[in-house]
Amino acid sequence: MTLIIAHRGSAGTHPENTMDAFIAAKKFGADGIELDVHLTLDDQIVVIHDETIDRTTNGTGNVKDFTLEELKKLKANYHYKHFFKKASKIPSLREVFEWLDKNKLICNIELKNNSIPYEGMEKKVIDLIKEFKLEDRIIISSFNHKSLKNVKQLAKNIETAPLYKNLIYKPWEYAESIQASGIHPKFTVMTPALISDTLKNNMAVRPYTVNKEREMKKLMELNCTAIITDFPEKAFKVRDTLNDKNVSVQ
């Protein structure tokens, strides 16, 4: 069964990378969530996608120039297209882990250190994972593949997967070279044959960001390990329909 990982939570229906979006993803039937992390001025791990706070909050400036307490005062749904009476806040990774501790969801953590080289980010994230004993439910991904190598040197038992958006020849071989056990490609660069060959070589395939029903259906029929989507509710319904059809055929 193809797993459903909610991209930045249920980002298509709720303010991205907020507890509102993560809670909605669980409610909609997602098997896991994907989130992005940066380091604050006081070296706290904070969940937000961009290097700046401009796009998703009512503030301006770089994430790294604010303390966690200062970031917590911002509205994280300030620019969001849907109206929410309650102001969403930027969560810390610790806050998300406290919530994950009460459920069984998978969590894909994207290290956003490809533009800003946050010193010690990998160790801080790993230490928090170990504190909550979430090693078997975490996948760490990044466009910074050197950072993923650092993760494996620090914690061999935590799964890693490189993110990429251009075609890679024999991606399973590349992933193995950095000790990863999965790949997170942009879905448009993966052909059915490439997906099949990667899976045959015991490498997990989790394409991003899959938002159209026809693409969800196609990837699920190819038995992708997971899809990463802004619309987990839609993906759940597609998977449910496919499962019903398979039961009928049997």
Side-chain angles (χ1 to χ4, degrees), residues 47-130:
V47 178
I48 188 171
H49 181 270
D50 300 354
E51 283 78 18
T52 71
I53 58 176
D54 301 45
R55 180 177 63 86
T56 57
T57 80
N58 58 329
T60 58
N62 293 318
V63 174
K64 67 181 181 64
D65 295 329
F66 293 86
T67 65
L68 179 61
E69 185 180 355
E70 289 170 335
L71 292 173
K72 282 285 189 184
K73 294 176 182 177
L74 300 172
K75 293 181 180 179
N77 58 340
Y78 186 68
H79 302 293
Y80 196 70
K81 59 188 175 182
H82 297 303
F83 177 74
F84 283 84
K85 289 182 180 179
K86 178 186 170 186
S88 296
K89 300 296 182 182
I90 299 172
S92 66
L93 187 60
R94 175 175 291 277
E95 186 179 348
V96 177
F97 279 7
E98 287 171 350
W99 174 72
L100 282 173
D101 202 34
K102 299 168 186 172
N103 59 59
K104 296 181 179 179
L105 265 61
I106 297 163
C107 183
N108 173 196
I109 302 169
E110 180 181 343
L111 304 181
K112 301 296 287 186
N113 57 357
N114 45 311
S115 296
I116 300 173
Y118 295 109
E119 187 174 350
M121 172 183 264
E122 299 96 340
K123 187 175 186 305
K124 288 179 184 297
V125 171
I126 288 166
D127 285 348
L128 197 62
I129 292 168
K130 288 181 177 179

Side-chain angles (χ1 to χ4, degrees), residues 223-238:
N223 292 316
C224 263
T225 312
I227 61 167
I228 301 170
T229 177
D230 291 329
F231 297 96
E233 185 176 24
K234 186 192 297 184
F236 184 83
K237 289 176 181 176
V238 170

